[in-house]
Each structure stands twice: as C-alpha cells, then as structure tokens.
Amino acid sequence: MDDTNAPQDDPTTPEVSPPPAPEAPSPEALAPPSDATPALATDAPAYPPPTLPTDPGAELAAPPAPPIPPSVVPPATIAPESSGSGRTIAIVIAIIAACVLVLIGLGVAIFFVAQSAIRTLDSGAAPVAEETADPEQPRDEPTDGPIGSTPDILPLITGEPGPAVAVDPVACPRDCFGEDVFGEVGLDTDAYSGLGPLEQTEEWGDYTDTTPSKEYTYSARYWSEGEGTPVECFPLYSQVPVATPFDVRPDAPGDVIAYLGYFETDDQYSGLQESGRVFTDSASAEAHMTTLKGMIAGCTSYEIGSGDSYWTADVSPMPALDLPDSVAAVGWVEDSPWGRFYAADLQRGNLVVRAALYTDGLVGEQEYRDYVEQLAQQLADIETE
C-alpha cells in the first residue's frame, strides 16, 4: 500500500499505538487491468471564492472547498528526514554571524576612538564633554559668535557730568545750519583708528531723512513690544536725538533727522552709529539738551526684551568731556553683563549730533571719549550760515 499521503511524524504529537495491520492482498489483486485507463487528476478549487455575480437573481454557485488547514502540511514540503541536524547547523551559522557583527562593531568603535585621540593630541587640548542645550532657555549670546572669551571691560570712568549748555553758545534766532550740514559731519579715517577694527558699512544718504515724530513712533513701538521698564528710561532707548516721555509725541514738524553713518566690526559685537538733528533754532536745541540731561538723571537702570533680545543695564551720566567752548555735550553710559553702551549728544547752534557705541569690551570707554572730543572739535570748525 502506497503511504506517501500519510502525515509525517510530529515530535509534538503524543505517541499512539498503531492499529493492527490488515491482511496483505495478493499480487494479482494489486495489478491493474491491462486495458484500464489511468484516472485524471482533479484540479483543486480556487480560493478565495470568485467574485459574486452582479445579477441579484442569479443562482449562486456552491462555495468551493475550504483550504487545507495550516496544521496539515502537504507532503511535498516535508523533508524526507525529520532530524535535529538542520536546526543545529542553522544555530551554528547564526552564532558565527553574530560574532562577526560584534567584531565589526568593535572595530568601528576602536577606529573612531583612535581618530578622536589623534585629533586631541594634534590640538593639544583635552577632550571636553559637550553640554546639552535646553531649547526652552534663552541664549545669552549669538551661537555664531567668535570663539574665545569676552574682552575684559575696564571700570567706568567717574566724574561729574558737564553742563547742558555750551560755555560760549552760538545763538541762532533762525537757522545756523541747514540740512546740507549733514554732509560736513564726518571725521577722517584716522579718527576711528582708536575704536579698534571698526569699518564703515553705512553712510549719510543710504537712508532717507526722517522726522522726530517718525523716530518716536519707531522707538515707542519696540519699547512697548519689548515690555521695557521703567518707563522713565524710555528716552534713552532712542538711537537719535529725541528726548520725550513715552506718552508724549514730539511736535517738531520743521526738524529734520538724518542717519550719518554706521561702523562695525566683522563679528558685529561692536558698532558705532552717528545721527544728527537740525532744529528750527538754537533755543530748541538747547532745550533738548537740558531735557535729556534731566531724563538721564531719572533713569538708574532698565530692562527690555526677552530671550536673545533681552537687555538690562545700569545707567549713569557720562562724566564731562574736554570740549570747545561753542559745543555742549550730554551723555550717559549703560553697564550691562553683555557689554557697554555709550551715547553722547553734541550741540552747537541748532545742530545736535548723537554718537552711540555698543561694544562687548573691544572698544574702551577712554577711546570712545577721545573720538567724541574729536567730533566736537569738528562741529566747532563748521561755519554757520
């Protein structure tokens, strides 16, 4: 009897006593008739069942026979022998592959460690663990800043501030200077040599002339958005000669303001800006100086902004400068953990020029004062109309 269709031995199946073997038929009974036609194999039914007919009245065909259960494996897929030798070979191969992968991983790790050690020896510095940045915390300084420590900032120069009115003022019932005077305000390159590696990036004419009202609106907007406090320090936030409280818009339609130039270092950690304002007369210019001096005295410290734009500083009046008799100066110093800000307004007749410098310590206070005194001398040399 042919037993190729019998299920194979399954090691998980309990042993069952085989039934008694039937009596073997005679050889003559097993031999097929000589004229018999071989039986044709019957094709297995398709699975899953074919698509149902779209006609709802059509008679459905009988469903095909279910597929062979997974537990009954066709004999063609079973190896002739059911032994543990194949499984053992597979386990050995897996162990060898795992060992190879481990060795490759160790080799790669050793390579990178060696490269890191070589770079460390070449640079002469010991490796330092990197700190993990907290994205929720604001950065104190730009991440693309120069590598190295911030320059040491010398103690502030002390002294009493100078008078708000010049010793020998130039009286101008009308204009002493017109708008064309802006083109005469500009020192030679040598005057900026003491300010370190500052290079001019903008000059007069790069920006359209503006008015005190427009500049006030600009400053008040950023002071409000940055939640600057206290409000008494708002006038010191302006970059141009405008001195007015936060809630008072200047009424000076005849005055003209111009940006005269900007100088900065390559890393932009130090920058100097010059701006000027032509008043309608010298009395208005002198009133500006007196008002500004009082506002500086009323501000001892302030803060504004958040995150990268946060700024806080202690404010003090600038000590008196060495000036020509026809020029007055009023200025202040902001001392911050991130650097210094120096600003001074120079007045002669109906002209006021502001020089404002921010630096992380690259430019010293004395160098700034020397530059302002040269600028004051230049103003004294300009002829009035």
Side-chain angles (χ1 to χ4, degrees), residues 74-374:
T77 61
I78 303 297
E81 295 182 1
S82 179
S83 64
S85 60
R87 186 177 302 168
T88 302
I89 294 173
I91 293 174
V92 171
I93 294 176
I95 293 174
I96 294 175
C99 292
V100 171
L101 292 176
V102 171
L103 292 176
I104 293 175
L106 289 175
V108 173
I110 293 173
F111 172 78
F112 282 107
V113 170
Q115 290 295 320
S116 177
I118 292 173
R119 288 194 297 268
T120 301
L121 292 175
D122 291 341
S123 62
V128 179
E130 295 183 358
E131 295 182 357
T132 302
D134 185 359
E136 299 298 327
Q137 296 297 326
R139 296 189 300 272
D140 291 339
E141 60 184 17
T143 56
D144 57 353
I147 299 176
S149 59
T150 301
D152 293 334
I153 301 180
L154 298 176
L156 289 172
I157 296 175
T158 59
E160 293 296 323
V165 180
V167 175
D168 184 16
V170 176
C172 305
R174 295 184 180 178
D175 292 348
C176 289
F177 303 105
E179 298 176 18
D180 56 348
V181 72
F182 294 139
E184 301 183 51
V185 180
L187 296 172
D188 295 334
T189 306
D190 295 341
Y192 299 94
S193 60
L195 299 178
L198 292 177
E199 296 183 359
Q200 187 170 13
T201 57
E202 298 170 3
E203 59 184 9
W204 178 56
D206 290 345
Y207 294 95
T208 304
D209 293 349
T210 180
T211 65
S213 179
K214 292 180 180 179
E215 291 300 313
Y216 163 83
T217 301
Y218 175 85
S219 299
R221 167 190 164 195
Y222 282 97
W223 180 267
S224 179
E225 291 179 353
E227 298 182 351
T229 183
V231 71
E232 290 79 10
C233 295
F234 165 72
L236 279 60
Y237 188 64
S238 176
Q239 298 295 304
V240 295
V242 174
T244 181
F246 178 71
D247 56 352
V248 178
R249 182 185 299 274
D251 183 17
D255 294 0
V256 178
I257 293 178
Y259 287 89
L260 306 179
Y262 190 77
F263 305 78
E264 64 182 351
T265 55
D266 291 338
D267 58 21
Q268 298 181 341
Y269 273 73
S270 294
L272 170 70
Q273 179 175 281
E274 295 176 348
S275 58
R277 177 177 177 179
V278 171
F279 289 79
T280 55
D281 52 43
S282 59
S284 299
E286 292 175 359
H288 162 82
M289 301 292 284
T290 302
T291 301
L292 177 61
K293 185 176 181 179
M295 290 178 167
I296 294 172
C299 175
T300 57
S301 66
Y302 76 96
E303 61 180 329
I304 187 172
S306 62
D308 290 344
S309 62
Y310 179 73
W311 173 260
T312 182
D314 295 328
V315 179
S316 59
M318 181 177 293
L321 297 164
D322 186 8
L323 302 171
D325 291 344
S326 62
V327 178
V330 172
W332 72 95
V333 179
E334 298 182 16
D335 189 16
S336 170
W338 296 278
R340 292 265 180 84
F341 180 79
Y342 307 97
D345 280 11
L346 302 175
Q347 179 259 331
R348 181 170 182 255
N350 66 323
L351 172 64
V352 175
V353 174
R354 175 169 294 185
L357 169 71
Y358 168 76
T359 178
D360 61 345
L362 181 64
V363 181
E365 183 178 5
Q366 186 58 55
E367 286 76 17
Y368 169 78
R369 291 169 63 88
D370 293 342
Y371 146 74
V372 174
E373 290 173 355
Q374 294 181 67

